[in-house]
Amino acid sequence: MALKDNIQALLGQVNELKANNAEELEALRIKYLSKKGEITALFNEFRNVAPEEKRELGQLLNQLRQTTEERIASLREAVESRESRAESKLDLTRTPDPIALGTRHPLSLVREEIEDIFSRIGFTIAQGPEVEDDKHVYGMLNFAPEHPARDMQDTFFVEKEIGVQKPTDVLLRSHTSSVQTRVMTSQKPPIRVLCPGRVYRNEAISARAHCFFHQVEGLYIDKNVSFADLREALLYFSKEMFGPETKIRLRPSYFPFTEPSAEMDISCNICGGTGCSFCKGTGWVEILGCGMVDPNVLEACGIDSKEYSGYAFGMGVERITNLKYRVKDLRLFSENDVRFLRQFESC
Ligand code: PHE
């Protein structure tokens, strides 16, 4: 029964076989299954076995060969997959690269800062449509019917029927003062709103002009609102936005919807007012338009101009962003170049 013992001893060994690489595996195959291998030797011995034992020992021998072949095949699979992983240089133990977070758009950062400052003195946000009608953008704001701002040169009109150029009063708003008319016709004073949003003007695109940009306009209506209140609010805003040493100056101007009207400059935030190339040596840079709401506008919106008065102001977010971050070319804001965008605050 020596053969049976040998078979059983080998069966025990075979299940414990291990190989770390292809060479070790080949050595195992030769040791057990090659022509001179141990299992082949047992098959040779089998020839001399007595006929009555052939059946049992034959079965055992076949089982031994099959088990060995299976064991070697499964070791081969393990070795090959280990080697192919090493080949592709995939190191599954490495920690992954950190996920790159996006950044906030500079116009959003500045718009939110403006909103934040005015919200601290009681302003709330009002929104309105970008596709507007003539009445809300111009008519109720005291623009004369033939006012040049209504010209096709300045305003994008929307054709009511595609391809048919008929006179139309549907247009893309050219300022967010349209939101002010909507608020004045739907709310009763006191009103204190900030109107941020995108506006459109028919301008050739260049470093200094674009066919759309962003505004934040403000409106305050109550009893006894004066120009001094307007000045105080704008001084507060300028100091919060550009630093406590900032000075402001108001120059007389004209807007159809305010009387009196003014443009506001701040002391140049680069040279501090001494004069530099940015402020063209003047020490001042213009940042917004403002004025007392024209009584005609109040009346057109159903507000008694004898009882109430108010002020309004409007600024371009791109302009303020340029002053804060020195972005000279307006086109950068809408080109989505990540090298530009990545320079701003991350999310
Ligand atoms: N609506 C004006 C503009 O778009 C800005 C402005 C608003 C001026 C309110 C005065 C008062 O240029």
Side-chain angles (χ1 to χ4, degrees):
M1 288 304 283
L3 181 57
K4 191 173 180 182
D5 292 342
N6 285 342
I7 294 173
Q8 247 135 19
L10 272 188
L11 255 178
Q13 271 180 37
V14 159
N15 284 320
E16 301 298 310
L17 292 182
K18 288 201 170 54
N20 290 315
N21 50 45
E23 290 82 57
E24 288 181 22
L25 192 70
E26 181 60 5
L28 288 180
R29 193 193 63 76
I30 292 168
K31 183 167 185 239
Y32 293 102
L33 297 171
S34 70
K35 274 192 185 152
K36 292 188 176 151
E38 294 182 22
I39 293 173
T40 319
L42 294 183
F43 271 97
N44 291 339
E45 256 180 63
F46 177 71
R47 287 196 209 121
N48 308 322
V49 161
E52 64 276 16
E53 286 177 344
K54 278 222 158 143
R55 192 181 149 83
E56 187 199 353
L57 288 177
Q59 272 178 0
L60 268 179
L61 258 180
N62 279 333
Q63 193 197 331
L64 172 64
R65 186 166 56 189
Q66 199 185 336
T67 310
T68 312
E69 281 168 356
E70 280 170 8
R71 179 72 192 167
I72 286 183
S74 87
L75 288 174
R76 174 164 293 123
E77 232 169 71
V79 164
E80 279 172 2
S81 85
R82 208 177 309 144
E83 282 177 354
S84 79
R85 244 182 288 138
E87 234 164 64
S88 72
K89 304 218 168 51
L90 238 182
D91 180 358
L92 297 178
T93 63
R94 271 188 60 195
T95 44
D97 286 339
I99 297 163
L101 290 177
T103 49
R104 308 287 320 282
H105 194 283
L107 293 178
S108 306
L109 291 173
V110 170
R111 189 203 69 234
E112 277 172 23
E113 196 175 345
I114 299 169
E115 289 173 359
D116 212 49
I117 293 169
F118 281 105
S119 76
R120 296 202 284 272
I121 49 172
F123 283 81
T124 54
I125 307 290
Q127 306 267 12
E130 291 184 16
V131 181
E132 262 291 5
D133 53 26
D134 180 277
K135 194 171 81 177
H136 287 93
V137 179
Y138 298 123
M140 294 165 93
L141 286 164
N142 205 33
F143 281 80
E146 69 289 354
H147 193 281
R150 280 199 172 102
D151 196 293
M152 299 282 275
Q153 301 301 314
D154 281 344
T155 306
F156 287 113
F157 290 91
V158 178
E159 292 168 18
K160 277 186 191 153
E161 284 171 59
I162 294 168
V164 182
Q165 278 204 325
K166 280 199 216 138
T168 166
D169 66 348
V170 183
L171 45 88
L172 300 183
R173 68 183 180 193
S174 55
H175 54 180
T176 57
S177 305
S178 54
V179 183
Q180 303 184 357
T181 47
R182 287 190 176 271
V183 170
M184 283 188 278
T185 46
S186 62
Q187 291 176 27
K188 290 202 175 351
I191 289 169
R192 205 185 323 227
V193 288
L194 212 57
C195 312
R198 180 174 287 181
V199 300
Y200 300 82
R201 289 186 195 175
N202 192 0
E203 303 249 15
I205 297 171
S206 71
R208 303 180 52 118
H210 212 297
C211 58
F212 63 80
F213 61 98
H214 300 80
Q215 284 190 323
V216 177
E217 296 210 354
L219 173 73
Y220 175 39
I221 298 174
D222 204 345
K223 290 177 179 156
N224 300 319
V225 177
S226 71
F227 201 93
D229 297 324
L230 169 63
R231 192 185 179 283
E232 247 348 87
L234 294 180
L235 180 62
Y236 170 75
F237 163 73
S238 304
K239 285 177 183 283
E240 290 291 299
M241 192 76 192
F242 297 103
E245 60 298 322
T246 309
K247 295 185 190 67
I248 63 167
R249 130 181 133 170
L250 290 153
R251 286 178 288 103
S253 186
Y254 172 77
F255 298 102
F257 37 90
T258 46
E259 181 59 35
S261 303
E263 271 169 335
M264 190 185 88
D265 301 335
I266 57 164
S267 49
C268 177
N269 70 327
I270 299 196
C271 61
T274 52
C276 66
S277 62
F278 189 79
C279 59
K280 300 194 183 76
T282 63
W284 297 96
V285 283
E286 186 202 319
I287 66 162
L288 56 80
C290 60
M292 301 305 291
V293 181
D294 193 300
N296 287 344
V297 172
L298 294 175
E299 295 294 336
C301 295
I303 294 172
D304 185 350
S305 63
K306 286 183 203 70
E307 200 181 348
Y308 291 102
S309 56
Y311 65 67
F313 57 86
M315 65 188 95
V317 182
E318 280 80 352
R319 173 95 183 125
I320 308 285
T321 310
N322 180 6
L323 285 171
K324 264 201 103 98
Y325 295 113
R326 305 268 152 279
V327 181
K328 294 231 174 75
D329 191 330
L330 273 179
R331 291 169 293 196
L332 284 166
F333 290 126
S334 48
E335 279 171 355
N336 283 338
D337 185 335
V338 287
R339 291 167 302 178
F340 168 71
L341 296 172
R342 268 202 210 113
Q343 298 172 80
F344 298 90
E345 195 179 289
S346 44
C347 294

